[in-house]
Amino acid sequence: MLEIKKVFRKYGKKEDSFLALKNINLSFEAGSTNAIVGKSGSGKSTLLHIITGLDHPSEGSVTFDDKNIYKQLDTDKWRGENIGIIFQQFFLQPANSVLDNVALPLKIRGVSRKKREARALEALKSVGILEKAKSKANDLSGGQKQRVAIARAIIDKPSILIADEPTGNLDSESGEAIIKLLFELNKTQNATLIIVTHDHDIAKKCGRIIELKDGLVERDRKN
Amino acid sequence: MKTLDIFTTSNQNLRRSKLRTFLTLLAIAIGTFTLALSLGLGQGLKNYISLQLGQYKNVNLYQVEKTTLNDFSGGIGNKDPQTYNPNTSASSASYLNNFITSADLTSLGQVNGVNNVEIPYQATFLYALSPNGTKYLASNSVFLPENPPTLTYGNQLTSVDQGEVLLSQKFAPLVGASDSKSSIGKVLDLFYKDYSGQIKEVKLTVKGVYQPSLIQSPIIIDKFDAKNVAESQSLNNTPQSNIVFVSRNLNVPDATFKTNLKNAKFTGKSFADVNNTLNSIITGVQISLAAFSGVAILASVVGVINTLFMSVLERTREIGLFRALGSKKKTIFALFSVEAMLLGFWGGLSGIALSLLAEQAINAIAAKTFLKGIEGIKLLNISPLLSVEIILIIAAITFIAGLIPAIKASRVDPIESLRYE
């Protein structure tokens, strides 16, 4: 379970300082589906960075299975092993093959080429674009690119799947297909799904909606 | 990330911006090329000297001369007047004082460590007359038992031989022989002018034939005949020389022996000293040339730093992605450092390949033109070991040059680099 306790995030120094997050307390159950909604500047991205360990809280703690991810765990290693991130802009390596893009997290973790390619093919199969394995990432459509990014995120079966505006760069048809896929993966892989979105229709599909405003949790409700 | 994956990933990254990588590699290759040629030239000359003098390193023979007064600074026109000192003033020395006298020979014989003194009688011949009537120049030296030439045919001279001669294997035509082997036993007919101006003839039988070398004359005459001719060419039958050859008692160390000579106002120089002096000169020239090459390499290093900085700027998003996927800072650092090192490796390899081609071409041209007739010389010598050393040095330099961009890359903030709002 992922728990965020009394988290504050302050940027800048003294007079110019700005509180992006103010006393955030949240916990995410394993296998749950969660939506984080809010306007621009509400603190969604900051919260996302804190959850993934890319950023540090100024105060408070983030624990995973009762271990502080900054103090008791190797944060980079923990992120690589437990968090799958899906970005709005996909962030694929355009000149590389789909297979190489999907296998990248395992390459970073030092898994042998043979094993990581086998796992990448498995991940591509689960997102439905196995036939594109040899294609260059640049040659794919937006929807296909996001599927590749999802395959990359789930290649090592992470405990937590974080999607940051996953449909932001897709047409509505592709967007719906991607959301459907994410919920399917949540069920089949029992991964905690956290979707950061502006789209209330997507948020409504989640079991829980967390609404942020000015760095505070304004509403936290179950669907 | 595995080391092999770091290397393959860095190598792939080099191919992303092909033109920029090519230009950087070209700059490194030019630097490497000039470095390899300058070091190869020095090595070639060193090898030649070693080949020619190496066999004489252990020859127990010192060229000894009287310690001369060499302070001629009083002769410079704008200097103040200087007082006369019979021991140090240059005006107290004359070239006549430099000739070895019988008193000097006695004095030299008493120096601790002197084993034997050989006077290098220098016979000057007008020409050697071959059986077909051709007159050849006859440069020669006297046989020194401590420094015998390396024979290919025949027998070595001894210190008591008379009427015999050793001939360089290239000089067979002087005795009318078709090849060096058949010149053994043939007669070398030499003509010279005595002190009164009369032309005289001396006939010497070829006893042995030897390999030509840089420091040995093409004709080596037995001591008896060299002395006879030299005496007949000198005033009062007394040949004058400003050097003698001295062999050392091996129980006296080289340094002590030289000090003993110095104390007796003589200066001694062994073959090994000559070899070392020449090598020192070449090393000096080699370092100077390498320093110029260093400037070219320095310029290419600036290119490497520039290339990597641009690469870091272009790839900040990718660095952010790597960090988001669990990559550590040290992995990012390693990726860029290895990329810098690979630039040096490939640039160095290309430079070495070019220099090896140039080596072949230059050596071939030199052998046919300005070095024609000089045995055993290979102007450029870029050995495999030297090539590997240069490539490794260049790779190490570019690795060091890449440290700052690599540190910058490892410090890229993943949050900033992945921001797209």
Side-chain angles (χ1 to χ4, degrees):
Chain A
M1 190 167 73
L2 185 74
E3 282 190 282
I4 300 164
K5 294 175 189 166
K6 297 176 183 172
V7 162
F8 288 79
R9 184 62 174 105
K10 189 168 78 174
Y11 292 110
K13 289 175 186 173
K14 291 181 182 175
E15 304 86 37
D16 300 328
S17 66
F18 162 71
L19 268 176
L21 293 177
K22 301 163 189 168
N23 196 20
I24 303 290
N25 290 282
L26 294 167
S27 63
F28 298 94
E29 296 291 335
S32 61
T33 56
N34 309 270
I36 299 174
V37 295
K39 291 178 182 173
S40 290
S42 61
K44 297 192 304 290
S45 295
T46 307
L47 181 60
L48 186 87
H49 295 144
I50 298 269
I51 290 171
T52 55
L54 286 168
D55 197 7
H56 289 66
S58 308
E59 277 180 49
S61 66
V62 178
T63 59
F64 180 76
D65 291 344
D66 298 326
K67 283 182 181 161
N68 189 313
I69 65 165
Y70 302 107
K71 292 176 181 169
Q72 290 170 286
L73 296 168
D74 177 339
T75 314
D76 292 327
K77 191 168 179 249
W78 169 79
R79 183 170 55 251
E81 288 173 358
N82 293 284
I83 305 273
I85 310 176
I86 299 149
F87 303 95
Q88 181 183 342
Q89 292 202 333
F90 325 132
F91 293 138
L92 300 181
Q93 294 182 294
N96 289 0
S97 70
V98 164
L99 192 67
D100 284 346
N101 269 284
V102 175
L104 183 61
L106 296 185
K107 187 180 184 181
I108 289 169
R109 285 175 54 194
V111 175
S112 72
R113 189 179 186 90
K114 199 177 171 185
K115 279 184 185 171
R116 68 184 185 235
E117 285 187 354
R119 299 264 291 277
L121 290 170
E122 210 177 289
L124 282 169
K125 193 178 174 187
S126 65
V127 298
I129 50 164
L130 183 61
E131 73 283 0
K132 296 286 180 185
K134 302 277 179 192
S135 306
K136 293 273 182 221
N138 218 19
D139 298 337
L140 305 180
S141 68
Q144 288 171 329
K145 282 179 182 169
Q146 195 58 298
R147 281 174 188 267
V148 173
I150 293 170
R152 183 179 63 195
I154 61 162
I155 189 169
D156 208 21
K157 296 187 169 53
S159 324
I160 302 163
L161 202 55
I162 296 175
D164 186 8
E165 301 283 5
T167 60
N169 266 344
L170 301 176
D171 57 67
S172 57
E173 195 181 334
S174 303
E176 273 178 34
I178 290 297
I179 292 299
K180 194 178 165 197
L181 176 63
L182 287 173
F183 280 93
E184 273 173 21
L185 289 168
N186 161 256
K187 281 179 189 162
T188 54
Q189 300 197 359
N190 197 35
T192 307
L193 180 64
I194 302 172
I195 303 176
V196 177
T197 182
H198 282 98
D199 190 329
H200 285 276
D201 289 337
I202 295 172
K204 280 177 193 168
K205 290 178 182 169
C206 294
R208 181 187 180 192
I209 301 172
I210 301 158
E211 208 172 322
L212 294 182
K213 190 179 179 186
D214 298 330
L216 288 163
V217 176
E218 193 179 54
R219 287 168 75 186
D220 183 354
R221 59 189 165 90
K222 288 190 176 174
N223 262 337
Chain B
M1 210 165 177
K2 284 185 173 173
T3 308
L4 181 66
D5 283 331
I6 288 175
F7 272 81
T8 52
T9 306
S10 297
N11 208 34
Q12 280 170 1
N13 288 340
L14 285 179
R15 280 179 275 170
R16 286 193 191 181
S17 182
K18 290 188 176 67
L19 180 63
R20 192 171 65 207
T21 301
F22 170 75
L23 291 173
T24 310
L25 291 180
L26 185 64
I28 298 169
I30 290 169
T32 308
F33 177 77
T34 52
L35 181 66
L37 285 195
S38 58
L39 293 178
L41 175 65
Q43 198 57 49
L45 294 174
K46 272 185 180 174
N47 286 354
Y48 178 61
I49 288 165
S50 179
L51 183 73
Q52 294 295 334
L53 298 182
Q55 57 183 308
Y56 303 109
K57 268 184 187 171
N58 298 321
V59 171
N60 178 18
L61 214 53
Y62 290 73
Q63 183 177 303
V64 174
E65 59 190 16
K66 288 161 80 171
T67 306
T68 54
L69 302 170
N70 56 8
D71 178 16
F72 291 95
S73 57
I76 297 171
N78 61 356
K79 259 200 138 186
D80 294 331
Q82 291 178 34
T83 53
Y84 172 76
N85 182 329
N87 295 318
T88 60
S89 297
S91 54
S92 39
S94 81
Y95 75 96
L96 286 173
N97 287 356
N98 290 343
F99 287 128
I100 305 280
T101 62
S102 55
D104 292 327
L105 289 175
T106 308
S107 167
L108 193 57
Q110 288 168 352
V111 171
N112 183 27
V114 170
N115 211 20
N116 183 37
V117 180
E118 294 278 355
I119 299 165
Y121 293 109
Q122 184 58 58
T124 308
F125 294 105
L126 290 171
Y127 53 85
L129 183 64
S130 75
N132 66 7
T134 309
K135 291 174 181 174
Y136 292 96
L137 292 176
S139 174
N140 70 95
S141 62
V142 64
F143 175 71
L144 296 168
E146 291 85 356
N147 182 27
T150 308
L151 293 187
T152 46
Y153 300 109
N155 296 308
Q156 198 64 263
L157 280 178
T158 67
S159 53
V160 293
D161 280 339
Q162 294 181 19
E164 292 188 296
V165 68
L166 297 176
L167 213 56
S168 158
Q169 61 188 22
K170 282 185 168 182
F171 275 55
L174 273 68
V175 291
S178 55
D179 58 64
S180 56
K181 191 176 182 180
S182 61
S183 61
I184 304 292
K186 290 204 170 3
V187 173
L188 181 66
D189 200 0
L190 296 161
F191 291 83
Y192 64 96
K193 267 187 190 172
D194 69 5
Y195 187 73
S196 65
Q198 279 189 314
I199 292 177
K200 291 189 172 176
E201 182 183 12
V202 58
K203 288 178 184 285
L204 303 171
T205 307
V206 178
K207 191 178 182 185
V209 176
Y210 59 90
Q211 285 176 352
S213 79
L214 182 70
I215 59 162
Q216 272 169 326
S217 304
I219 299 167
I220 297 176
I221 297 167
D222 68 76
K223 186 179 168 183
F224 176 84
D225 288 286
K227 186 182 177 203
N228 273 352
V229 174
E231 283 177 349
S232 77
Q233 292 182 317
S234 307
L235 176 66
N236 299 327
N237 283 340
T238 310
Q240 290 190 310
S241 171
N242 54 3
I243 61 154
V244 286
F245 287 105
V246 171
S247 61
R248 170 172 60 93
N249 179 342
L250 295 177
N251 293 326
V252 179
D254 174 77
T256 312
F257 181 59
K258 283 175 184 164
T259 307
N260 294 344
L261 286 172
K262 192 180 174 187
N263 291 340
K265 296 196 173 178
F266 291 100
T267 306
K269 209 179 267 184
S270 67
F271 280 111
D273 292 334
V274 175
N275 193 11
N276 291 342
T277 305
L278 286 172
N279 275 333
S280 299
I281 293 166
I282 291 167
T283 302
V285 172
Q286 213 175 4
I287 290 169
S288 308
L289 291 173
F292 285 116
S293 313
V295 175
I297 288 167
L298 192 67
S300 63
V301 161
V302 174
V304 169
I305 295 172
N306 183 48
T307 298
L308 285 170
F309 266 127
M310 287 174 75
S311 195
V312 172
L313 290 174
E314 282 172 4
R315 282 154 52 192
T316 48
R317 190 151 279 187
E318 182 185 314
I319 295 167
L321 174 70
F322 269 64
R323 299 277 286 120
L325 297 179
S327 181
K328 292 179 182 299
K329 284 183 178 181
K330 65 180 180 186
T331 306
I332 305 295
F333 173 82
L335 280 168
F336 280 86
S337 298
V338 168
E339 202 170 315
M341 195 173 72
L342 287 173
L343 274 172
F345 175 78
W346 291 120
L349 193 67
S350 312
I352 287 294
L354 287 174
S355 60
L356 289 175
L357 289 174
E359 179 196 24
Q360 298 294 321
I362 292 170
N363 282 345
I365 293 166
K368 286 177 185 168
T369 55
F370 60 97
L371 293 180
K372 193 176 180 182
I374 302 179
E375 291 283 321
I377 190 164
K378 197 177 162 194
L379 186 65
L380 291 170
N381 190 332
I382 304 167
S383 67
L385 179 65
L386 181 66
S387 304
V388 171
E389 282 173 350
I390 290 173
I391 293 170
L392 292 180
I393 288 168
I394 299 292
I397 289 171
T398 53
F399 172 79
I400 293 165
L403 288 179
I404 297 170
I407 290 169
K408 187 180 167 68
S410 70
R411 288 181 179 171
V412 164
D413 181 357
I415 297 167
E416 282 302 315
S417 62
L418 294 173
R419 196 182 293 282
Y420 51 82
E421 283 176 324

